[in-house]
Amino acid sequence: MRSDLDHLMQSNNLDAVLVLGPGQHNPPMVYLTGIAHLSDAVLIQKRAQPPVLLHRSMERDEAAATGLQTIDMEKHYGDLSRLLELYGQAGGDLRHAGAARLAQILTDQGLQAARIAVYGRMDAGAAYGLFSTLEKYLPNLTLVTEGGESILQTAMLTKDAAEVEQIRRVGQITTAVVAQVAEFLTSQRVQEDVLVKADGRPLTIGEVKARIQLWLAERGAENPEDTIFAIGGDAAVPHSSGRPDDLLRLGQTIVFDIYPCQVGGGYFYDFTRTWCLGYAPDEALALYEDVLAAYHLVGSKLRPGTPLRKYQEMVCEFFHSRGHPTLQEDPLTERGFVHGLGHGLGLYLHQAPFFRLNAPEALRLPAGTVVTVEPGLYYPERSLGVRLEDTFWIDPDGPVAPLVDYPLDLILPCRLK
Amino acid sequence: MRSDLDHLMQSNNLDAVLVLGPGQHNPPMVYLTGIAHLSDAVLIQKRAQPPVLLHRSMERDEAAATGLQTIDMEKHYGDLSRLLELYGQAGGDLRHAGAARLAQILTDQGLQAARIAVYGRMDAGAAYGLFSTLEKYLPNLTLVTEGGESILQTAMLTKDAAEVEQIRRVGQITTAVVAQVAEFLTSQRVQEDVLVKADGRPLTIGEVKARIQLWLAERGAENPEDTIFAIGGDAAVPHSSGRPDDLLRLGQTIVFDIYPCQVGGGYFYDFTRTWCLGYAPDEALALYEDVLAAYHLVGSKLRPGTPLRKYQEMVCEFFHSRGHPTLQEDPLTERGFVHGLGHGLGLYLHQAPFFRLNAPEALRLPAGTVVTVEPGLYYPERSLGVRLEDTFWIDPDGPVAPLVDYPLDLILPCRLK
């Protein structure tokens, strides 16, 4: 968790963490500043010292509201074009100006020859240009660019109580909206096997999705990555998000996967139910029962310290025993169980830990992490897909359970009128 | 515009453009694929050839929906951990695996010794790690990392007719919501100089902002960067976004700056009005009249081909003549006219062209661009701020005008009951 950062810097021989970019929808920045209305900021956290936030002049009040120590970047370092003059670089290359300013900031922080881990949402090419140039300005600086084992990712792997409560609150909003959608669907009429509205016209997936956006906004959540509301053939491909013009037809599987976050780019929640309107055909019901059994199997076995791949193996073996293809026998299968069992979640929708077959034995389920469990079965040739997903907190002190309860039922009753 | 990309690649001696990251809230990717429900994709556009989109297996239908040529990345290149084995790298370094896969993809595209411009939303450190490693795999590859003069930014500088229409539609949603807010405020009661709701409790800025979120969602827009709705002392600092618990007090300036985008991270609109509820004190009215005059002055002079800095100079000189401090005499002033006059807008909320005093003479207002014009005056010690902003299309063929009209009035009438 966040309080581990100093310790992690020390054990990785790092002098500081440097985060660039906006104060919204930028997980590394939000992790250290909270959601803040900053368009372009620099955060420096030196080992065993409180963070320092450098901000634009006209965002001084927003920066101050973070409660961190702040420095007005424009007042102290001038704007980019002035820096360009200062450094006597060739005309108008903002990359050099940005790198020059950052070099001066790091020097003033005593970090010109430090080992620093860098983070923050940026354009990939701009980041490469910036850091390549920065290393020329400060030849003794070491920029530590990490893969999955980044210290920030490691810190984010486990959540403190306040973070868990924030995720739970997003979960409460999520499930409240799911309940609204269920209520909305079951209150429609049915004509010729599709839902129709009061005006007699058929309801579309586009209209359902528009309501989901609205109801999330109404409850104070944001939905930056869309929603999966996929019926029939689309339900049978895990990330097909649903076609706006499709109708809501009885007896087909609907995969409803919803993953909103706090307004401004805060904590996410991730949740999936599969519904059949009116009735479930036998083959849909059979798939559902296998997925439900896998969900309960994993749910009952979630224990801190277990190797992550054990869970993926457990579900592959269970589905195999029920006659379904899985990634274990065919890593490229598009039928049966075709994806990872789940993933960590927090300020990123997808982050470590990941349940993967080929994860090293040493990667274990950490106490205090928040993960999704989402077994699914998909048969594109039969236009059938079923997935069930909840977000679990691996409570170090207690039983492991979803952060928010919601019924797992398959069938949504419909009124034939 | 987009159709200039080939020509720009040629004149910059580039063989290809490479874009990484998701298909939502990622301007370079959205520019070339449209908004697409892709969590992690690779787009390669070779000079004089149609783009190729590499995607995850379970996003095959979403990738196909872009209409581009697609390659299933997992089918062709395996997942990262399999690549790791393949390349015999030290255990579990995802950075090497990602770079190895990208090296293989580029080689298969015949680009192993090419000059390539790279883009896409990524973590800054991850991008630096990825490209540093990639250059080791492919020593003859040249990654061209550009500053403000990137060819993608240059293409994005001008808009085709379809883009202008998309921006205008977001503008229509924006102004419709602004009208709803005005109607909502003017329909409240006033008690002791603050707006109160039907239940007799005072209305707060937090409640107004919640309604803005809701009404934007209702009309199909997204609001990833928050809204500025700032009264009194907050209105006097350009990017202070407003305190949720503040009340709506008569006779104070409210800066209402709203900048939503299409759902999924598409085109933005940017719009500001300044309101006084009930009445405007003389000093607020005087500031407003100067800002309004500056707005009309610039609006009447917007012509393709004019050096950008002329507009900034024009407004500084006008405000100076009315007795206000400006950036021209004091680049760090926090009183008077303290920011740039405006900026380009599109898939980025802020992009070139920028109106800046120190822009080189050669930087001119391009025909076909979309820019904001947003003069403002700020006096923190008097808790007064006024800004007016519209988004203009620099129509090559016709008169230059805001994309959507909306009244510029300062005073919102209130009913004393």
Side-chain angles (χ1 to χ4, degrees), chain A residues 3 48 53 64 88 122 135 265 272 327 365 385 391:
Chain A
S3 57
L53 178 63
M122 273 187 81
E135 292 201 320
T272 307
L327 294 172
L365 187 65
T391 297

Side-chain angles (χ1 to χ4, degrees), chain A residues 25 37 58-59 61-62 75 81 95 118 120 122-125 128-129 135 145 214 224 239-241 259 334 358, chain B residues 25 37 58-59 61-62 75 81 95 118 120 122-125 128-129 135 145 214 224 239-241 259 334 358:
Chain A
H25 291 283
H37 195 271
M58 63 181 185
E59 291 167 356
D61 287 349
E62 302 291 323
K75 269 206 182 134
S81 48
R95 188 177 30 167
V118 293
M122 273 187 81
D123 181 74
Y128 190 50
E135 292 201 320
T145 64
L214 181 64
H239 274 196
S240 285
S241 63
Y259 29 89
E334 290 178 354
N358 34 31
Chain B
H25 291 283
H37 195 272
M58 64 180 184
E59 290 167 357
D61 287 350
E62 302 292 323
K75 269 206 181 135
S81 47
R95 187 177 31 167
V118 293
M122 274 187 80
D123 180 74
Y128 190 50
E135 292 201 320
T145 63
L214 180 63
H239 274 195
S240 285
S241 63
Y259 29 89
E334 290 178 355
N358 34 33

Side-chain angles (χ1 to χ4, degrees), chain A residues 30-364:
Chain A
V30 171
Y31 195 56
L32 298 174
T33 61
I35 296 169
H37 195 271
L38 302 168
S39 59
D40 186 21
V42 175
L43 185 126
I44 294 171
Q45 179 156 5
K46 286 191 268 190
R47 197 161 82 196
Q49 289 186 39
V52 178
L53 178 63
L54 294 101
H55 60 86
R56 299 175 64 193
S57 278
M58 63 181 185
E59 291 167 356
R60 57 191 178 273
D61 287 349
E62 302 291 323
T66 63
L68 303 177
Q69 185 194 330
T70 61
I71 295 175
D72 186 321
M73 230 177 334
E74 277 151 359
K75 269 206 182 134
H76 281 74
Y77 298 99
D79 74 5
L80 289 184
S81 48
R82 224 163 299 122
L83 257 176
L84 252 190
E85 295 161 29
L86 191 68
Y87 277 78
Q89 295 302 323
D93 188 334
L94 284 173
R95 188 177 30 167
H96 276 281
R101 182 170 70 176
L102 194 50
Q104 192 59 59
I105 290 170
L106 292 174
T107 303
D108 289 353
Q109 293 288 327
L111 294 170
Q112 67 276 16
R115 270 175 61 84
I116 297 180
V118 293
Y119 303 97
R121 194 189 91 193
M122 273 187 81
D123 181 74
Y128 190 50
L130 175 68
F131 295 131
S132 308
T133 312
L134 180 65
E135 292 201 320
K136 288 177 193 137
Y137 278 108
L138 298 178
N140 297 317
L141 180 73
T142 305
L143 292 176
V144 181
T145 64
E146 308 161 291
E149 74 288 13
S150 117
I151 65 158
L152 211 61
Q153 291 284 348
T154 304
M156 286 177 164
L157 203 55
T158 54
K159 271 75 182 175
D160 61 31
E163 291 180 280
V164 172
E165 275 322 297
Q166 290 190 77
I167 298 170
R168 192 195 304 275
R169 275 203 293 275
V170 183
Q172 286 160 345
I173 293 173
T174 306
T175 50
V177 169
V178 170
Q180 263 180 295
V181 175
E183 165 62 26
F184 175 70
L185 296 180
T186 56
S187 67
Q188 305 303 310
R189 290 183 307 142
V190 178
Q191 266 177 14
E192 295 174 8
D193 257 22
V194 301
L195 296 192
V196 295
K197 297 173 288 186
D199 66 6
R201 289 191 303 178
L203 184 68
T204 65
I205 283 187
E207 291 171 294
V208 174
K209 283 197 175 187
R211 280 180 171 78
I212 292 169
Q213 288 291 109
L214 181 64
W215 291 334
L216 285 170
E218 212 163 33
R219 293 172 187 272
E222 204 173 318
N223 200 27
E225 312 214 15
D226 199 7
T227 302
I228 293 173
F229 197 93
I231 191 164
D234 285 334
V237 180
H239 274 196
S240 285
S241 63
R243 287 160 221 250
D245 296 335
D246 270 3
L247 306 186
L248 290 121
R249 204 167 286 284
L250 266 54
Q252 299 206 338
T253 51
I254 296 171
V255 171
F256 179 17
D257 190 346
I258 177 170
Y259 29 89
C261 69
Q262 295 172 305
V263 169
Y267 289 92
F268 280 90
Y269 200 78
D270 200 354
F271 177 94
T272 307
R273 290 294 181 266
T274 299
W275 289 336
C276 280
L277 297 171
Y279 71 96
D282 287 348
E283 56 177 2
L285 191 61
L287 281 196
Y288 168 76
E289 284 176 348
D290 286 347
V291 172
L292 183 65
Y295 171 95
H296 285 309
L297 175 67
V298 175
S300 68
K301 305 256 184 199
L302 287 173
R303 298 274 181 289
T306 313
L308 290 162
R309 72 178 189 204
K310 291 283 178 217
Y311 295 103
Q312 185 80 22
E313 285 166 4
M314 182 188 304
V315 174
C316 284
E317 281 155 20
F318 172 75
F319 281 142
H320 180 71
S321 77
R322 307 292 281 232
H324 303 289
T326 80
L327 294 172
Q328 204 162 29
E329 310 93 61
D330 176 6
L332 293 174
T333 183
E334 290 178 354
R335 302 172 65 249
F337 182 42
V338 305
H339 56 63
L341 175 66
H343 53 84
L345 169 151
L347 291 171
Y348 292 98
L349 174 57
H350 299 101
Q351 64 175 56
F354 293 96
F355 294 107
R356 284 188 180 127
L357 281 179
N358 34 31
E361 179 84 11
L363 283 184
R364 286 156 191 274

